[in-house]
Amino acid sequence: ALAAGGPGLGKSQFAVWMTAQITRGTLPGELYSQPRGVIYAAAEDSWAYTIAPRLVAAGADMDLVFRVDVRDDGKAHARLTLPVDTSLLGQAAEAYSIALVVADPLLSFIDGSINDYRAADVRQALEPLIAEADRRRFAVLGLAHFTKAGGADPLSRVAGSGAFGQIIRSLIAFVQRDNDDGDTEFVMSLEKNNLGRLGLPAHTYAIQPVTVETAEGPAYVSRFVLGAESYTTVRDVMRDEAAGVGSDKSERSEAAAWLEDFLMSGPHPGEGLPKDVQAAARGAGITPNAL
C-alpha cells in the first residue's frame, strides 16, 4: 500500500497512528485485540527526536515497534536498501511476528543505482519485497509524494514511474482543501483497493500539536487524529484544482443543500433510491457533476 500526498499533509503521522493501532491491538479488522509488531524504517526524520516521540504521542506500545539498524559493509548501502536487504528484512519480520513494515518514504530505500522513473527498474526493486511480504505474512506501507503537475487521478500523481501505481494493491491519498465555510481542512480517501471493498468513505483528519517528555527534555511533535466521514474525496479535490474550479464550489453547495432537503422530505428521511434522486435533481436543474 502507498500513503501519498503533497508535503506537510501528515502522511508520516498517519503511518505512526497506524503503527500505534496495530501495536495496541485496536485496529479494526483481523488484527483487532491481537497486538502485533511493526518495523518502522525512517529515512528523512530523526528516530530519537521525531519518530519515537510521535509514536509515544500516538500511544504506541514501544516494545512492539522496531527500527532498522544497518551494519555498514563498506558498500554504498548506509541504510536499508531494496532489493539488496529484502531477504534480511523478511527474516526479521518473521522473527518478531511483524504485521506491518513502514517505509518512510519508500523512494529513499530503493537502491541508488535504480532509476525510479523506469518501470522495469521499479519492479526489480519492489517485486522481491512483495514476494517476501507474502511469504512472511506482513503488509508494507510505503509513503510517497505527489507531483505538483498532473491530472485528477491520484495514481498518476505519485512521484516516479507509473509502475508504482500498478504494483501497489491500495492507495490512500491525502490532500488539503478549502471547505465551503472558507476554512482549510485535511481529507484522506482510498483511491485504489484491489484486495478489498470499494466505495469506502473518505474522512477528514487533523494534525494536532503534542508535547512529549523525554530524557533530554520536552519534544514538540504532532499526531494524526481521524475525523468525520467526508462527501469529498481526494480525487474530487484534484479534479476541481485541475479544472481551476471557483464557481463550482457554490454549485456544489447548492446541490448539497437541495439533496439534504430532498432526502429529508422523503418517506424514509435520509434515504432515497439513486434513480429517484437523479431524476429529481435533473428537474431541479442540478448537474450530475454537482450531484
Side-chain angles (χ1 to χ4, degrees), residues 10-136:
K11 299 182 294 296
S12 293
Q13 288 90 333
F14 168 76
V16 166
W17 174 84
M18 181 73 74
T19 298
Q21 298 280 320
I22 291 173
T23 59
R24 294 201 315 264
T26 54
L27 186 71
E30 67 178 52
L31 295 183
Y32 187 76
S33 78
Q34 300 180 49
R36 292 278 298 279
V38 175
I39 292 176
Y40 200 114
E44 294 180 348
D45 291 313
S46 162
W47 182 270
Y49 292 101
T50 303
I51 301 298
R54 279 180 180 172
L55 287 162
V56 171
D61 182 344
M62 298 301 285
D63 290 334
L64 291 177
V65 183
F66 303 88
R67 67 185 177 95
V68 177
D69 280 329
V70 175
R71 187 167 53 246
D72 191 351
D73 55 8
K75 298 179 182 178
H77 307 294
R79 61 166 63 126
L80 173 70
T81 305
L82 303 173
V84 176
D85 299 319
T86 300
S87 178
L88 289 173
L89 179 64
Q91 292 172 29
E94 186 172 55
Y96 291 98
S97 188
I98 296 300
L100 179 71
V101 171
V102 176
D104 180 8
L106 179 59
L107 273 181
S108 292
F109 297 104
I110 293 179
D111 194 309
S113 65
I114 287 178
N115 185 340
D116 53 70
Y117 278 89
R118 290 189 59 211
D121 284 15
V122 169
R123 289 185 175 277
Q124 176 188 339
L126 296 183
E127 284 178 347
L129 177 62
I130 294 169
E132 198 69 18
D134 188 44
R135 185 179 339 19
R136 313 281 187 175

Side-chain angles (χ1 to χ4, degrees), residues 250-267:
S250 60
E251 185 184 356
R252 268 211 315 274
S253 299
E254 181 185 339
W258 173 88
L259 180 60
E260 184 174 5
D261 288 342
F262 177 81
L263 292 176
M264 296 311 293
S265 63

Side-chain angles (χ1 to χ4, degrees), residues 236-261:
D236 292 335
V237 177
M238 286 185 168
R239 185 186 62 230
D240 289 351
E241 289 176 347
V245 170
S247 60
D248 277 8
K249 284 188 178 178
S250 60
E251 185 184 356
R252 268 211 315 274
S253 299
E254 181 185 339
W258 173 88
L259 180 60
E260 184 174 5
D261 288 342

